[in-house]
Amino acid sequence: MPTTGPRTFGPDSDVLMAPVYLAGPGPGEAVFNTLDSAAGWTKVVAFGEDTYYTSPCQRVRIANVVDSHYGGWTFSYSEDPLGVPDWITTFDRDAPREIVPAFTDTLVAGLPNNFADYFSGGEHDTRHTPATVLSSHQWEAVRDTRPFRMVSPDGHAAYRMRGGWLHEYDELLDTEKSTWRMSAGPAPLSAPSWQAYFSRGTPEHLITATALALTDPRPVVRADFLIPDRHRSLVETQPLCLGQANPRTTAALARSPRTNVMHPVQPPTASAAPVTHVIASSRRQR
């Protein structure tokens, strides 16, 4: 896909662009759609704009708290629904919309049987780890570094695994201390544009699903004005021509619903998550 020079299309135009990890966040309907249509999940909207979901088994809680430090999405799992979380995963507000749904969809699909289908020998066992996925896309380990790091071929995305001992509660209390981290941007290690954090107990297959989305070479669709300015010189773009039967365009549209189309609000189905609106005077933010 050729890199455009001077812009040959308007800022409101949809474009095909790659790589996905530099695409900017884009609209976030995909995660909401997955959770809203998941059978048995409950949904609470609090403070006018913050959204919380709870799984039917009460073990998973998901929050989209707009004004929190990280924004974006936070997922927590607790074997004891009333206990301390076993793991927490956070995608900050600028994480691309194609990457967060990969984690969410896999989580929702595997939860009913406690992820048994994703373990060794299970129906959905890919026999991959995050590291093997990244290696298969020519990501290279940065030698002699602590913590361990892998970097994308263009140097604009990174995967980090922290070494050494750390009390498990420390990383649950401080996201920055999470065992695994994905990030991207012009300087993904020192000044990332977005980050995703995975605490030690996060199931490996969920991180692997995220890695697969992170490395997917197919272009995605964005309105041109949504591409972050600091990424423009680093990405490849071309106009999106809906009238042309093009396999690349078809694949990108399947992966990224068009950004400039207004979707009417549909009434919830019988299995959709019921919505509760809560009015409260204060809140804690992670």
Side-chain angles (χ1 to χ4, degrees):
M1 184 169 60
T3 303
T4 57
R7 183 180 286 150
T8 57
F9 34 82
D12 292 332
S13 300
D14 280 348
V15 297
L16 294 176
M17 65 149 301
V20 61
Y21 46 77
L22 296 178
E29 297 95 337
V31 177
F32 286 106
N33 290 343
T34 292
L35 296 172
D36 287 344
S37 62
W41 286 67
T42 58
K43 176 181 181 180
V44 173
V45 178
F47 314 105
E49 55 187 3
D50 300 339
T51 309
Y52 302 84
Y53 292 90
T54 304
S55 65
C57 63
Q58 303 295 303
R59 294 175 177 174
V60 175
R61 288 177 171 48
I62 302 173
N64 182 256
V65 183
V66 177
D67 291 329
S68 65
H69 178 69
Y70 295 103
W73 291 91
T74 295
F75 303 76
S76 70
Y77 175 92
S78 178
E79 189 67 31
D80 175 2
L82 296 179
V84 175
D86 294 277
W87 56 264
I88 295 176
T89 289
T90 297
F91 296 86
D92 73 24
R93 60 175 52 85
D94 294 317
R97 66 178 186 183
E98 290 82 7
I99 293 174
V100 186
F103 184 98
T104 310
D105 293 352
T106 308
L107 170 66
V108 170
L111 190 61
N113 67 352
N114 210 23
F115 311 122
D117 289 342
Y118 294 86
F119 296 151
S120 179
E123 179 182 356
H124 300 299
D125 174 25
T126 65
R127 300 188 181 276
H128 281 296
T129 67
T132 62
V133 168
L134 299 176
S135 294
S136 70
H137 289 84
Q138 288 72 55
W139 286 46
E140 293 188 357
V142 181
R143 304 298 178 186
D144 301 320
T145 59
R146 297 292 184 273
F148 172 77
R149 299 164 181 167
M150 297 183 74
V151 178
S152 62
D154 63 6
H156 298 137
Y159 175 67
R160 189 213 69 176
M161 182 173 69
R162 179 183 48 75
W165 184 87
L166 182 71
H167 194 286
E168 61 181 311
Y169 290 163
D170 288 346
E171 60 179 328
L172 296 178
L173 292 171
D174 185 353
T175 300
E176 297 285 344
K177 296 180 179 178
S178 295
T179 298
W180 296 282
R181 180 185 304 180
M182 293 180 185
S183 58
L189 295 172
S190 59
S193 298
W194 66 267
Q195 299 184 85
Y197 306 88
F198 309 84
S199 72
R200 185 188 314 173
T202 306
E204 185 176 68
H205 74 277
L206 297 179
I207 308 175
T208 299
T210 309
L212 285 167
L214 182 72
T215 56
D216 192 328
R218 293 176 296 173
V220 298
V221 179
R222 285 289 187 275
D224 182 66
F225 73 90
L226 291 178
I227 301 172
D229 287 341
R230 66 194 300 244
H231 295 177
R232 286 195 177 275
S233 64
L234 308 176
V235 300
E236 298 179 338
T237 61
Q238 70 179 40
L240 175 64
C241 300
L242 294 177
Q244 297 178 355
N246 185 314
R248 183 183 293 270
T249 298
T250 302
L253 286 171
R255 192 175 181 205
S256 300
R258 294 191 68 198
T259 59
N260 60 1
V261 174
M262 296 297 293
H263 298 282
V265 177
Q266 299 294 331
T269 63
S271 62
V275 181
T276 301
H277 292 272
V278 175
I279 300 176
S281 59
S282 65
R283 63 179 172 187
R284 293 179 60 191
Q285 297 179 357
R286 186 168 186 269

